[in-house]
Amino acid sequence: MLASLNHPHIGAIYGVEEASGAPALVLELVEGPTLEDRLTKGALPVKDALTIARQIADALDAAHEKGIVHRDLKPSNIKI
């Protein structure tokens, strides 16, 4: 189900592997800083914050429509 999620603001999920006896997702490599990295430099301008927030909300909406809940959404897990 996760691999079928195709959205421009969600990194592709290629599959599930087992690592040390635990399941692990195989994800697309998305290069660049995280939102956490960016926030260490100070507050975002309102325009930038709104753009990022809209993209996050759009991605979450697409996932929720398929019954997928992220469960670990935080600035260090968001690439910008």
Side-chain angles (χ1 to χ4, degrees):
M1 179 170 61
L2 290 173
S4 71
L5 187 58
N6 183 13
H7 189 274
H9 300 303
I10 299 175
I13 300 168
Y14 297 122
V16 178
E17 298 289 329
E18 190 172 314
S20 301
L25 293 176
V26 180
L27 304 173
E28 171 185 8
L29 174 62
V30 179
E31 300 205 29
T34 64
L35 180 56
E36 181 179 51
D37 296 334
R38 173 53 188 85
L39 291 174
T40 62
K41 298 176 183 175
L44 292 167
V46 173
K47 181 181 175 188
D48 295 344
L50 289 173
T51 297
I52 292 168
R54 282 187 191 108
Q55 291 174 354
I56 294 167
D58 190 38
L60 288 173
D61 183 52
H64 292 171
E65 283 181 6
K66 293 200 174 231
I68 299 168
V69 179
H70 189 287
R71 294 180 42 168
D72 194 25
L73 186 63
K74 56 189 174 188
S76 61
N77 288 340
I78 299 169
K79 290 287 197 160
I80 55 171

